[in-house]
Amino acid sequence: MAAVAALTALLAIGPPGNARAATGTGYNQITGEGSTTSAVTVNWTQGLLDSSNNPLAANADRTSATPTSPASFMYPDFKNLQVTVSQTQDLTHQGITVSWTGGQPTISSSGVPAGNFLQLMECYGDLSSGPSPQGCEFGSGGLVPEVTPYNANVGSRSGPLCAAGSPSTSDPPAGLDGSSPLVGCDPEEPVSGANPPDTNDLFPQLYDIPFVPVASPTSPAYTFSDLSQYFTQFDTNEVPEAVTSSDGTGQVHFVTLTGIEAPGLGCGQLETNGQTRNCWLVIVPRGQFEPNGFQISPATANTAFLAASPLSASNWAMRIQVHLGYAPVPNFCPIGTKEVETVGTQIVTRAVQSWQVALNQSTNCQTIYGYSAVPEATSTQQLGAWADPQTAGGTAGLAFTTIPIGSEAARDQNPATSLPPILYAPVAVSAEGFGFNISQTGGFVSTPVKLTPELVARALTQVYRSDLPDYYPDPAGPPNDNGTANQGPAWSTGNRINISQDGMFQQLNPEVSRTQWAGSLVPQAPLLTEDHSALNQQIWHWIQAETAASAWLNTGNSGNPADFSPPADPDYLALQLGTAPDNDSFPRAYAGVLDEGECLGCIPPKPVTKRSLDLLPYVNNYDQAATDVLTGNDPVEVTWNSQATAPDGSLGWWDRNPQEKAGNTFMWGISDTPDLARYGLIDAQLCDDSGASCVGPSTASLATALDSAKPDSAGLLQVNPANPGSGGYPLTQVTYAAVATNQPAADLIADANLIEYAVGNGQTSGVAPGQLPPGYLPFSAAGSVGASLKAQAMDVVKQLQADANPSPSGSTSGSSTSGGSTSGAASSGAAGGSGLSGQLTPALGQPVSPAITAPRAQLAAARTGRQPVGAVRWVLLAVVVTGAACAAGGTVLRSDGLARWLRRMRT
C-alpha cells in the first residue's frame, strides 16, 4: 500500500484542476509511503470522475457562477477542498491513504464531530457515470456513538422526508415525521424510481436507501439484519467521520475490499464482458448545512449535530468519486491439477502470492504453485519426510525459512528430525516492524512513532493498567463497587493506564495527544501472534541488547526515573525475559483474573470472569494484525453481556467493541514490513534506551543491516539486532528457499523455476501481479550483498537442474549424494534450463492462484509441535469448490472463532 506523500510532494502533483496521476517520486519501497504512479489528486469542483478518473460533465454546476442545484447553498463549504488518493490501480485487499487540504476545520462537541468532516465508502458501479447510493457499503449500526439523538444518523441509510417546501437557509422545512428542522430532512428525497420497493415499510415518513448487492439486484437490504448478510460494524470499511485539522488538512487510511471480503460489492471480480467490475471510492464532504438549509455553527455545536445520511440525494450530490482499478480476483485451477506444494515463514507470504500469479498463469494450470504459511516446526516436518522417500509422498519439498531447517528443534526442546540433503537459495529481504494507526481529534498522526526497547518490553508484559483483566473500575457495576473495586494488583497501583501516558512515550512522541487517551480503559497493547518463531526471537534479542531494558525485564528496575521505569509484573519477572536465550513467543503470563460473581441473567447462570486471553486475545498472523490495526478493529473483549453467545453456545460472554472510528483510534501491532506497507500503517522508529539513534525501516536501513549480516552454521545470513551497523534496521530478515534435493526430477525443475523467477523478474518492485511487493528490499538495492544473494540463488537453480537431469556419465551433484544441509555457493554464472526469469511477465489476464493457509496458532503454554499441512489444504480446496470465501490475491484465510474457542478450552 502507498501511504500519503508529504505536502511538498502533493504540491508537485499539479495545480488545482483536473485529476492528475502522481509521478511516484519519493516512494518508499519498504514502508509503502509516498504516492504511487496511479495516485490521483482531485478538487471538489471537478470531483465527479469517470472510470478513467477524468472529470465528468456533471461537474459544471460546481464551477458555475450561477449554480442551479437546489442544494448549491452547500457549495461554499467545499470550494477549496482537494483530495489525494495514494493508489488507484492494481488494488487488492489493502490500505490506501486519502489525504486532503482546503477543508473547513471540524466542529466538535465533547470530542464528537458535529460538522465539517468527510465520510468515505466503497461502492460498485457499472456505468461510466459512477456509482449510486444503493451500491455503497455504508450504514453499519454501532460505528457512530449516539451522543445525541441526532449524531448517529450520519452513519445511517435513512432520514426524514420534508413536510413541505424547498430548502431554505432562513426558514428550513421540518420533517414529515414531525421532527425539528435541525434533524435535516432532505427536500430532494425520495428520488423517483431510484430505490427498489420496501415491502415492509413501517415508516413512510422516512426515506430508506437500501443496499442492493451486486449479484442480487432484486434482493435489496433495508434493515440492519439484512445488511449484516453483507457487512457489519466489525468488517465494514466505511469511515463515517473523518476529521479535518485546524489548518484545513486531514488524512485517513482506507481499506479496500475485493469481492472475496465484500461479496456484496464484488470489486475485482470478472464480469461477463471479461473486465473487472468497476468500483469507486466515494467521499461525501459534510459542511455546516443540512439538505433542508439548517445550519450548525460553533456557537450551536453543543445542541446540534449534522444528522442527515450521506446517501440522501442532496448530500450525495456533493460527493467526490474516484475510480478504483482492482487487480482481477484470481480464479482457481480445477481440482486435480498437479500442485507443487511449498510451505514456510509468513514473512515471505506477500512475495510468494505475487510470484504465484505469474508462475501459475504461465503454465495455464498445467502446474500450479501452492503455498502454506506454517510454523517453523512444520517446515522441518515437511522437508524431514524426504529423508525417507517411502513416506515423503504429498509433502512439500520446498520450505521458505529465515533459519536453518530443523534448528528450531533445540530451541523448542523437540527431538531432532532426520533431514534429507538441502540446498538454500536466498529469495527475499524484508523485516519485522511495528505498525500504528493513531487518529485523534486533532487529526491523524502521520509521523513515525518512536519506540525504545524498554517501552516495547513494557507493552509486551502487561505493565499498563488497562492491559490487566482485573482492572475494571465500573461505576455501573454491583452496588458495592462505586468505581473503587477491581483496581488490579498492588504492584500496578501507580502505573500509567496505557502506553500513551507513559512518560518515556510522551517525551519521544509529542504529537500524540496527552489528554485524549488519559482516561481510556480500552487497552492499547500491541496485537500479537501466538506462534513460536525465530522472528519473535529477533524482537526479544533487540530488547535484550539494551542494558536498561534487559535489567527492567529481570528486576523491574532499569535505573531510570520512576515515570520512565514503572514497576513490573512479578509473573513476568519470574520468566527472566531479559536473560539469554531469547524467548521465541509473546506469553500472556499475568495470572490475575477478574471475578464479578455470578451472572444470574445468563442461560445457564455462570461466573463472570475475565482472564488475560479474554481481554487481550492473540491474532492469527501478521496479515490479521495489520488489517485490524488499519480498520481499528480491536479484538479486545471488554464489556459483559448476558445476552451474548459464549463459545460453548450458552448465553453470557464478553462483547467486542465496535471498530474504533476516525478521530478516536489508537491501535498498533507487530507485523512484517510487507503487510505494514500493504495496509499503509505508520511505521515505528526503533531507538536505543535513551531515545536516541532512532532507525525506521527503509531501503537504506535494510541495505545497511544486510551489509552487517553474518552467515550462521548453514551459511544463511543473519542480522544481529544488537549490531546492525550504523543506521541499520535491527529487525531485517533474509528469507531462503530450502529445497530437499532428493525429490523427483519434475519437482526439482519446478522448484528451480520458482527460485529463478523469484530472483529474476520477481525482484522488480511494483504492485502488479508477479512483481516484488512493497515491504521487500530488491536485491538490486542491496549493492554487492544483493548481487551475491542473487548469484547464490542462481547457483542453486543450476544445481537443482543438474540433479534433475544428470549427465550420461552418471555423475551427480554433490547436493544429491551428501547428507545434511548444504547452502548454495555464490556464483556469477548464468542460469541454465528453463530461463523463466527472462520469459515471465506480470500477469494481465485472469490469474490463477491456490489458497494460502494462515499460520497455525500455537498454544502459549506448549512448545511448537509438528503440525501436518495436508488436511488443511484439502479443507481449503473444498471451500474453494463450494464457492465460499477463500484466500486469494493477497488475502490470508483466518478462523478467529476457532482460534478463540481453542483458547477457551485451554483456559
Side-chain angles (χ1 to χ4, degrees), residues 488-705:
W491 63 263
S492 70
T493 301
N495 287 9
R496 298 295 185 178
I497 192 168
N498 54 52
I499 192 172
S500 70
Q501 304 304 301
D502 188 299
M504 182 179 292
F505 184 89
Q506 291 182 349
Q507 185 179 75
L508 292 174
N509 302 285
E511 68 278 10
V512 178
S513 172
R514 304 300 196 265
T515 58
Q516 181 166 347
W517 313 107
S520 175
L521 293 178
V522 177
Q524 293 174 353
L527 300 186
L528 305 172
T529 58
E530 198 175 8
D531 59 320
H532 294 252
S533 69
L535 300 177
N536 296 338
Q537 242 185 345
Q538 186 91 329
I539 292 174
W540 285 112
H541 193 165
W542 168 69
I543 293 172
Q544 287 184 2
E546 290 292 332
T547 303
S550 181
W552 184 85
L553 283 168
N554 288 338
T555 68
N557 183 6
S558 66
N560 287 322
D563 192 41
F564 288 77
S565 186
D569 176 7
D571 293 331
Y572 281 96
L573 290 176
L575 299 179
Q576 293 292 284
L577 294 172
T579 302
D582 313 314
N583 202 45
D584 67 351
S585 66
F586 302 115
R588 296 290 192 212
Y590 178 66
V593 178
L594 174 69
D595 184 356
E596 285 279 83
E598 195 84 358
C599 173
L600 299 179
C602 298
I603 303 176
K606 65 175 72 175
V608 179
T609 59
K610 182 190 292 184
R611 295 173 171 81
S612 289
L613 279 175
D614 296 320
L615 179 66
L616 302 173
Y618 292 105
V619 295
N620 290 338
N621 48 65
Y622 283 166
D623 174 87
Q624 185 187 352
T627 189
D628 282 355
V629 171
L630 171 64
T631 58
N633 195 8
D634 200 330
V636 299
E637 298 172 343
V638 179
T639 306
W640 182 264
N641 182 352
S642 62
Q643 300 304 305
T645 302
D648 62 2
S650 63
L651 288 183
W653 200 249
W654 298 95
D655 266 346
R656 283 180 59 185
N657 281 348
Q659 291 185 12
E660 297 179 10
K661 65 186 182 66
N664 196 41
T665 301
F666 191 123
M667 286 191 65
W668 62 302
I670 295 177
S671 188
D672 56 348
T673 49
D675 280 299
L676 296 177
R678 185 184 190 90
Y679 294 111
L681 301 183
I682 299 303
D683 62 285
Q685 292 184 351
L686 305 184
C687 314
D688 60 26
D689 262 334
S690 68
S693 303
C694 302
V695 178
S698 67
T699 299
S701 65
L702 264 66
T704 298

Side-chain angles (χ1 to χ4, degrees), residues 298-459:
T300 61
N302 289 326
T303 58
F305 293 76
L306 288 181
S309 169
L311 304 182
S312 76
S314 298
N315 286 327
W316 181 255
M318 303 299 118
R319 73 190 181 280
I320 293 172
Q321 60 184 41
V322 177
H323 186 262
L324 301 178
Y326 277 81
V329 173
N331 293 330
F332 289 82
C333 295
I335 295 176
T337 303
K338 175 177 171 54
E339 178 178 330
V340 179
E341 187 173 4
T342 69
V343 297
T345 173
Q346 62 179 320
I347 203 169
V348 78
T349 298
R350 294 293 172 200
V352 175
Q353 287 173 330
S354 179
W355 299 335
Q356 278 179 307
V357 174
L359 288 165
N360 293 345
Q361 183 174 341
S362 71
T363 66
N364 293 319
C365 275
Q366 294 178 15
T367 299
I368 62 173
Y369 287 85
Y371 169 70
S372 300
V374 299
E376 293 158 347
T378 302
S379 292
T380 297
Q381 178 198 22
Q382 293 284 296
L383 291 194
W386 289 98
D388 180 2
Q390 300 299 317
T391 62
T395 63
L398 184 154
F400 297 99
T401 183
T402 60
I403 59 174
I405 296 296
S407 62
E408 83 291 335
R411 182 191 76 213
D412 294 329
Q413 300 176 6
N414 287 331
T417 300
S418 296
L419 295 171
I422 294 175
L423 287 174
Y424 291 93
V427 294
V429 178
S430 56
E432 298 169 273
F434 301 83
F436 282 81
N437 179 5
I438 304 176
S439 175
Q440 44 201 32
T441 53
F444 186 85
V445 176
S446 59
T447 55
V449 174
K450 293 182 172 63
L451 296 174
T452 67
E454 188 176 347
L455 270 175
V456 175
R458 296 174 200 169

